[in-house]
Amino acid sequence: MSIITKLKSLLTKPESKLKYIKNDQDFSHLNDREIFKAMYDEVGTIKANKSVVWREEWMSQFDPRPGSAILELGAHNGPNLIYYARLGHMIDGVEISDTLIETFEKHAKLEPSDVQKRMRIFKGWIEDFKPQKKYDYVLVTEVLEHVSDPLLILKKAAQCIGKDGLIYISSPTKHWGNNTHVRGVPMKDLKKWLGESGLKAEKIFEENERVFCYASKQ
């Protein structure tokens, strides 16, 4: 069974006693921040999300310059934070889920002190995040298919990159899974959203039912 098939199986078979994650198309959380946060706190209680697993199939196209300053919008339980901090990058993340952050912090404490110093996570809404600096790269990986408004996420990413900064995006092109997935992100839609967010695609392509993109400011 492939990694993607395993992931789809996990997403389409919610664990028992879950209140917000459902197999039906109930997207009421998109219009209610309290419910949205409760859903992603619930996401962090799922057994699979208690482990921190770096996803090469999502990140294989991302090749940052050495010693880069990176921001991840929607950091989940921190696999990218830990991975890129180990490589010597300074990386910050933004995440709304208390339970996912708890898992990240548990695993981050196992890293050497120099790695720990290179990564931080901010709890809060991506849309409300106020960057303290400009970043060389902003990661928007496997996020646009989950959020209420992709434009707000892309506009925030644009605010966070420096003059020559790049945004790295990946998302499934088709809508699948449980109700945490609210849309697919085909390339034509992503191009449209980029334009409406003051961004342009430097590189964009679809591969294995996933869109990959590097974007910069127009």
Side-chain angles (χ1 to χ4, degrees):
M1 183 184 292
S2 70
I3 292 175
I4 292 176
T5 302
K6 288 180 181 179
L7 180 61
K8 288 183 177 181
S9 176
L10 288 170
L11 284 172
T12 55
K13 294 180 179 179
E15 297 180 7
S16 62
K17 299 182 180 178
L18 294 180
K19 181 177 179 180
Y20 300 101
I21 302 172
K22 304 174 183 177
N23 283 332
D24 58 32
Q25 302 299 290
D26 176 4
F27 301 139
S28 57
H29 63 287
L30 294 180
N31 300 311
D32 189 315
R33 275 193 165 194
E34 185 176 340
I35 295 176
F36 190 101
K37 184 182 183 306
M39 172 181 279
Y40 282 92
D41 283 340
E42 195 169 74
V43 165
T45 68
I46 293 174
K47 183 178 179 180
N49 292 327
K50 293 294 186 179
S51 299
V52 177
V53 180
W54 186 70
R55 305 302 295 272
E56 183 177 7
E57 70 272 27
W58 297 346
M59 304 308 299
S60 61
Q61 303 299 319
F62 182 58
D63 185 22
R65 296 183 297 273
S68 292
I70 304 170
L71 172 68
E72 181 166 34
L73 300 179
H76 200 259
N77 62 15
N80 283 331
L81 274 64
I82 293 171
Y83 182 86
Y84 292 106
R86 286 174 177 172
L87 294 179
H89 302 286
M90 301 294 294
I91 182 163
D92 296 336
V94 182
E95 176 56 52
I96 191 60
S97 169
D98 291 329
T99 52
L100 290 173
I101 291 174
E102 287 170 6
T103 296
F104 162 70
E105 291 176 340
K106 176 182 176 181
H107 286 80
K109 289 177 182 177
L110 303 177
E111 296 295 317
S113 60
D114 62 318
V115 174
Q116 292 186 43
K117 291 176 181 178
R118 288 196 290 270
M119 56 184 174
R120 296 182 298 175
I121 196 162
F122 297 94
K123 183 174 75 173
W125 297 91
I126 294 172
E127 298 90 334
D128 298 342
F129 178 65
K130 292 180 172 56
Q132 301 172 1
K133 62 181 181 181
K134 297 293 185 180
Y135 294 86
D136 300 313
Y137 300 94
V138 173
L139 305 180
V140 185
T141 52
E142 312 302 302
V143 168
L144 298 180
E145 68 271 25
H146 296 280
V147 298
S148 301
D149 188 341
L151 287 179
L152 291 179
I153 305 304
L154 293 171
K155 288 177 180 178
K156 180 59 64 175
Q159 293 174 9
C160 294
I161 55 172
K163 181 180 177 181
D164 299 317
L166 291 171
I167 300 166
Y168 175 78
I169 302 162
S170 74
S171 276
T173 57
K174 297 181 180 178
H175 182 207
W176 59 270
N178 58 41
N179 64 330
T180 65
H181 279 212
V182 302
R183 68 180 63 81
V185 184
M187 189 163 61
K188 63 179 180 60
D189 288 354
L190 181 55
K191 286 181 176 179
K192 178 176 178 290
W193 298 339
L194 291 173
E196 294 174 352
S197 303
L199 298 166
K200 61 181 178 180
E202 298 291 343
K203 179 180 180 182
I204 187 168
F205 64 96
E206 292 183 5
E207 182 177 271
N208 296 327
E209 297 185 339
R210 180 160 274 105
V211 64
F212 295 92
C213 179
Y214 273 106
S216 64
K217 293 181 181 179
Q218 290 182 3

